[in-house]
């Protein structure tokens, strides 16, 4: 065991000893009698037993009937012991009396030190367990906790269960080949990879991919998460790593999957703390295990992280996690493919168009999509349907993105009308802007924090926005407030989110995207570092006060322009708007086609 670990254990022991002796000094809960009290009690015959030591220390117990066998202690001057003995002899009641030499007997030493020794033995025992020797039995503290999953052929996870991450799958195909036929590769003197690092956001399918690799190669799959290594006690993690690798070698060829490796493999920081020390040791153990075993043994470590940036560079050195695979968020086509995988298990209605769902779920990862399909199926079951229909998917998509519907929320007719006018305003402007995404649906059913919702559906995922697109989007955002102003001559708080988003867009157009008269220049305030005497929240600005004013003016101009555009459309198409409001009040939800029909285009 490392010297540091021993030191840490020694420190724990020391603390225990100190706290024990501290306690034992205070464990006497009986009475402390003065000499006079003692003589008084003796005279009364209240004392049942008394032990007198040569040095004058006295302890004993009272009679049951007096204070319920309570213990007491006392002290007399050694010269007075003889005198006390005669008092004891003349006590009116018979009592147990013993005179003892002042050095405590072996028995009493054992008695007072026994618990201490027990604790000591227990700790030694634990230490030996943890250091790995004699690792059988119930107290498997240093065992790895890794879960073995060797699935039956029937429900084995393979690449068929994974979709939308083609690049990652292609890269892992090679790993599968290694595991299947290691000889084929080593024959030519090649070195097999030891570690594969999967990097990607949570829910993109990293665990799934690792399982699929094991499934494809038909080898056992051990999984553990980085946090499992870290325990309260220094040294436990390291021994768990050792145990994990031992298990792996016994079951080779196999895959060991370490989820959230950043919990152990985060960049080593300065400073000393127990947790830090523990992590450091665990990481070191992992590094030395990886260096120590031959990849030809057929154990491949697959680790996953969503924070590759904080990983200790030592982990990425050759011979360790030298294969790195990025698991991206899926694009539209990827999302459609993932949906296809997950709807295999449920009966679909004919009207379900997975392509449309994929288009409306930009930013969703595999786990979100699996969840979406599940929610849709649950909703269909709730309504006693035989198949899962498109509206179930719409329902679950909105639930996932916006929160649950709040049909039970009480809304007065007046409020409902206001919401209908607001949403109709958004929808109408969206319909007449030439660079906007097509209208998908409008609803006035409250959901999450929103009273209503107007949704557009991009044809493709958007990664790049033109100025025209943004300008149109701003006008659509203003449409809600505008309609309220024009029809009801009122301003409500319902537009606060629209205003917030519009302001952010406009500001970024000016400061980041160079889409204003200030030209293509970046005006973002940089976060000041914690150094240079600046506080973390303070921002540094490297442009003049005059420029700051100009930025504000430009932002104002852009928003004003958007507001005017929206107002113009709403005034021109007032008839269509009113029709839309009435239809919304009746059916509460309208899709793009219905809206077009109502408006007459
Ligand atoms: P990660 O490990 O990246 O956090 P998981 O592999 O645990 O993500 O994904 C959780 C679940 O989401 C999987 O069990 C699977 O049902 C679904 N899933 C995630 N990504 C995909 C994908 N690319 N293809 C199919 N299903 C996926
Ligand atoms: Zn709005």
């Amino acid at each position: 065991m490392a010297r540091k670990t021993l030191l840490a254990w020694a420190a724990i022991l020391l603390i225990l000893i100190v706290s024990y002796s501290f306690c034992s000094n205070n464990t006497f809960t009986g009475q402390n009698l003065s000499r006079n009290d003692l003589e008084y009690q003796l005279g009364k015959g209240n004392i049942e037993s008394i032990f007198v030591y040569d040095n004058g220390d006295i302890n004993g117990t009272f009679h049951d009937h007096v204070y319920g066998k309570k213990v007491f202690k006392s002290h007399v001057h050694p010269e007075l012991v003889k005198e006390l003995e005669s008092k004891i002899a003349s006590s009116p009641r018979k009592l147990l009396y013993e005179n003892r030499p002042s050095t405590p007997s072996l028995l009493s030493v054992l008695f007072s030190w026994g618990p201490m020794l027990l604790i000591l033995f227990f700790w030694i025992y634990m230490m030996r367990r943890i250091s790995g020797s004699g690792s059988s039995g119930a107290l498997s503290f240093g065992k790895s906790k890794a879960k073995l999953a060797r699935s039956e052929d029937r429900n084995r996870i393979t690449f068929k269960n994974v979709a939308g991450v083609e690049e990652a799958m292609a890269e892992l195909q090679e790993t599968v080949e290694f595991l299947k036929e290691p000889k084929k590769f080593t024959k030519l003197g090649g070195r097999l990879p030891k570690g594969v690092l999967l990097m990607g956001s949570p829910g993109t399918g990293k665990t799934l991919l690792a399982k699929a690799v094991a499934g494809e190669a038909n080898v056992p799959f051990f999984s553990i998460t980085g946090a499992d290594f870290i325990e309260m006690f220094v040294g436990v993690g390291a021994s768990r790593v050792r145990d994990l690798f031992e298990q792996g070698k016994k079951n080779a060829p196999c895959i060991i999957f370490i989820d959230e490796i950043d919990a152990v493999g985060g960049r080593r920081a300065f400073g000393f703390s127990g947790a830090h020390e523990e992590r450091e040791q665990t990481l070191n153990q992992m590094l030395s295990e990886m260096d120590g075993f031959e990849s030809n043994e057929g154990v491949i470590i697959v680790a996953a992280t969503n924070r590759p940036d904080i990983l200790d560079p030592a982990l990425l050195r050759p011979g360790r996690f030298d294969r790195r695979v990025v698991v991206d968020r899926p694009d539209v086509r990827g999302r459609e493919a993932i949906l296809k995988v997950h709807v295999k298990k449920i009966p679909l209605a004919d009207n379900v168009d997975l392509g449309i769902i994929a288009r409306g779920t930009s930013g969703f990862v595999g786990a979100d999509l699996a969840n979406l399909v599940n929610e849709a199926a649950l909703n269909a079951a709730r309504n006693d349907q035989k198949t899962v229909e498109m509206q179930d998917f719409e329902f679950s998509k909105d639930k996932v993105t916006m929160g649950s519907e709040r049909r039970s929320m009480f809304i007065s007719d007046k409020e409902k009308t206001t919401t209908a006018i607001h949403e109709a305003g958004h929808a109408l402007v969206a319909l007449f802007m030439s660079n906007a995404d097509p209208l998908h649906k409008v609803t006035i059913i409250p959901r999450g924090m929103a009273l209503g919702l107007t949704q557009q559906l991009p044809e493709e995922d958007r990664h790049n926005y033109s100025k025209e697109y943004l300008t149109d989007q701003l006008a659509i955002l203003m449409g809600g407030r505008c309609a309220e102003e024009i029809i009801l001559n009122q301003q409500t708080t319902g537009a606060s989110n629209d205003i917030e988003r519009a302001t952010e867009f406009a500001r970024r157009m000016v400061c980041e995207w160079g889409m204003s008269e200030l030209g293509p220049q970046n005006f973002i305030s940089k976060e000041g570092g914690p150094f240079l005497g600046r506080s973390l929240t303070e921002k540094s600005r490297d442009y003049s006060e005059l420029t700051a004013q100009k930025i504000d003016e430009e932002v104002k101009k852009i928003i004003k322009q958007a507001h005017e555009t929206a107002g113009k459309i709403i005034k021109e198409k007032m008839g269509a708007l009113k029709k839309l409001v009435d239809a919304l009040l009746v059916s509460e939800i309208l899709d793009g086609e219905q809206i077009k029909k109502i408006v007459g285009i």
Side-chain angles (χ1 to χ4, degrees):
M1 204 186 305
R3 270 189 58 185
K4 272 189 182 167
T5 319
L6 269 177
L7 275 176
W9 283 108
I12 292 176
L13 264 178
L14 198 72
I15 290 168
L16 272 169
I17 291 172
V18 169
S19 58
Y20 176 79
S21 51
F22 184 73
C23 286
S24 68
N25 275 341
N26 293 289
T27 47
F28 180 74
T29 52
Q31 268 185 326
N32 235 326
L33 299 183
S34 70
R35 192 182 145 212
N36 280 343
D37 288 343
L38 180 64
E39 286 178 1
Y40 170 78
Q41 300 288 4
L42 272 171
K44 286 285 246 176
N46 285 345
I47 287 172
E48 188 185 59
S49 65
I50 186 164
F51 303 96
V52 182
Y53 295 92
D54 284 348
N55 64 358
D57 278 345
I58 294 165
N59 51 46
T61 57
F62 290 111
H63 256 298
D64 260 359
H65 68 273
V66 189
Y67 306 111
K69 271 220 191 277
K70 214 163 181 187
V71 290
F72 67 84
K73 71 179 185 187
S74 182
H75 184 84
V76 293
H77 202 270
E79 265 100 86
L80 298 175
V81 169
K82 280 273 163 312
E83 198 188 318
L84 186 70
E85 281 177 343
S86 66
K87 286 251 165 56
I88 291 170
S90 61
S91 167
R93 211 186 272 260
K94 204 171 163 280
L95 73 157
L96 176 67
Y97 163 66
E98 247 176 69
N99 178 273
R100 290 176 172 176
S102 31
T103 45
S105 69
L106 185 69
L107 204 77
S108 67
V109 167
L110 255 184
F111 192 70
S112 57
W113 278 82
M116 195 51 235
L117 287 176
L118 261 177
I119 292 173
L120 194 82
F121 281 131
F122 181 70
W123 280 108
I124 291 175
Y125 173 77
M126 290 297 260
M127 273 165 68
R128 297 194 48 183
R129 289 227 80 83
I130 286 156
S131 66
S133 58
S135 57
S136 61
L139 277 170
S140 52
F141 211 43
K143 292 278 228 168
S144 72
K145 272 190 179 178
K147 285 187 287 292
L148 172 67
R150 190 202 288 271
S151 33
E152 301 300 314
D153 278 344
R154 203 160 38 83
N155 44 21
R156 205 166 78 197
I157 288 172
T158 65
F159 281 154
K160 276 202 223 72
N161 300 88
V162 193
V165 282
E166 269 68 32
E167 285 97 347
M169 281 205 277
E171 285 188 62
L172 288 169
Q173 188 60 45
E174 193 193 35
T175 313
V176 174
E177 305 291 324
F178 280 141
L179 284 165
K180 266 189 185 159
E181 278 184 87
K183 293 221 176 60
K184 185 171 128 195
F185 293 86
T186 48
K187 214 160 50 192
L188 301 175
R191 205 169 49 88
L192 301 185
K194 284 182 189 171
V196 180
L197 183 65
L198 301 176
M199 307 182 290
S201 313
T204 43
K206 298 181 293 297
T207 313
L208 191 69
L209 272 167
K211 276 190 190 150
V213 170
E216 287 283 331
N218 201 8
V219 300
F221 176 81
F222 291 92
S223 81
I224 191 166
T225 73
D228 283 342
F229 289 118
I230 309 296
E231 288 279 345
M232 204 161 37
F233 305 113
V234 177
V236 176
S239 96
R240 284 195 177 150
V241 170
R242 213 174 302 128
D243 187 66
L244 178 68
F245 276 78
E246 246 165 51
Q247 274 191 57
K249 278 181 226 164
K250 260 187 244 153
N251 290 283
C254 71
I255 284 200
I256 295 179
F257 177 66
I258 305 173
D259 205 358
E260 291 164 29
I261 195 170
D262 36 290
V264 235
R267 205 176 286 273
R268 284 176 259 197
F270 297 104
F272 178 89
S273 71
H276 164 75
E277 171 88 343
E278 164 67 348
R279 220 187 50 169
E280 176 106 337
Q281 271 192 26
T282 309
L283 176 60
N284 285 343
Q285 186 66 35
M286 197 174 286
L287 295 178
S288 78
E289 289 285 348
M290 287 194 82
D291 290 345
F293 83 98
E294 278 301 310
S295 50
N296 300 357
E297 289 173 48
V299 181
I300 291 187
I301 319 290
V302 180
T305 180
N306 54 353
R307 299 289 314 274
D309 50 313
I310 63 158
L311 280 190
D312 194 304
L315 271 173
L316 307 176
R317 254 174 240 143
R320 292 166 184 170
F321 290 103
D322 42 9
R323 306 274 156 129
R324 266 154 270 166
V325 176
V326 176
V327 189
D328 273 326
R329 282 171 182 272
D331 60 6
V332 194
R333 264 164 291 276
R335 290 197 298 274
E336 189 173 342
I338 294 173
L339 284 168
K340 260 192 200 130
V341 168
H342 287 279
V343 296
K344 269 193 197 130
K345 291 162 248 163
I346 60 172
L348 275 197
D350 289 339
N351 68 353
V352 174
D353 186 338
L354 295 180
I356 289 185
I357 304 166
R359 272 165 56 197
T361 47
S362 169
F364 274 42
V365 292
D368 299 330
L369 294 167
N371 184 22
L372 179 99
V373 172
N374 187 44
E375 287 282 345
L378 287 179
N379 195 50
R382 213 173 288 132
N383 299 335
D384 289 328
Q385 291 161 218
K386 289 219 164 49
T387 54
V388 185
E389 295 180 24
M390 191 62 174
Q391 77 213 35
D392 298 316
F393 283 98
E394 280 294 334
F395 175 88
S396 79
K397 187 184 84 186
D398 289 348
K399 182 169 174 188
V400 173
T401 50
M402 309 278 304
S404 293
E405 274 187 3
R406 294 167 66 189
R407 281 185 188 270
S408 60
M409 182 168 139
F410 179 76
I411 298 168
S412 68
D413 283 349
K414 191 162 164 253
E415 268 182 332
K416 219 169 176 179
T417 312
T418 305
T419 308
I421 289 171
H422 180 102
E423 296 305 330
H426 283 310
L428 195 76
V429 178
L431 220 46
F432 290 100
M433 301 307 294
S434 49
N435 297 296
D437 290 325
L439 202 53
H440 180 53
K441 75 172 179 202
V442 182
T443 151
I444 55 166
I445 300 170
R447 193 181 270 289
M449 296 298 291
L451 290 173
L453 173 72
T454 301
Q455 239 173 24
Q456 295 163 265
L457 199 58
E459 305 281 354
E460 282 280 324
D461 286 359
R462 287 188 181 271
H463 305 293
N464 195 4
Y465 301 94
S466 67
K467 183 177 176 183
E468 290 73 27
Y469 175 84
L470 290 168
T471 314
D472 284 6
Q473 209 57 41
L474 278 170
I476 297 168
L477 281 171
M478 288 294 132
R481 161 57 66 90
C482 256
E484 285 185 63
E485 283 171 345
I486 294 170
I487 298 181
L488 302 170
N489 195 22
Q490 71 177 14
Q491 296 179 334
T492 64
T493 55
S496 76
N497 184 256
D498 298 336
I499 293 171
E500 188 186 324
R501 280 174 59 202
T503 313
E504 192 199 322
F505 268 154
R507 190 159 274 280
R508 292 181 74 179
M509 283 171 79
V510 178
C511 298
E512 270 178 66
W513 303 326
M515 292 176 180
S516 76
E517 269 162 37
L518 295 186
Q521 201 179 326
N522 185 304
F523 299 111
I524 297 198
S525 305
K526 289 173 196 66
E527 298 281 344
F531 305 109
L532 306 170
R534 244 190 237 122
S535 80
L536 263 174
T537 46
E538 221 173 306
K539 293 188 173 179
S540 75
R541 200 169 72 179
D542 41 20
Y543 46 81
S544 65
E545 191 56 41
L546 188 70
T547 310
Q549 266 175 31
K550 275 194 189 149
I551 290 172
D552 291 340
E553 275 164 27
E554 284 296 316
V555 171
K556 204 173 195 168
K557 212 159 82 188
I558 290 173
I559 292 181
K560 190 156 173 265
Q561 183 64 49
H563 191 261
E564 273 166 19
T565 310
K568 202 164 139 249
I569 292 177
I570 287 168
K571 276 181 194 147
E572 272 172 18
K573 314 278 179 191
M574 189 50 88
L577 183 77
K578 291 207 162 134
K579 272 190 227 162
L580 211 50
V581 173
D582 291 340
L584 266 177
L585 285 171
V586 173
S587 48
E588 294 196 330
I589 180 163
L590 297 171
D591 67 25
E593 290 306 313
Q594 290 170 316
I595 295 170
K596 274 189 190 164
K597 228 182 256 160
I598 294 163
V599 175
I601 52 169

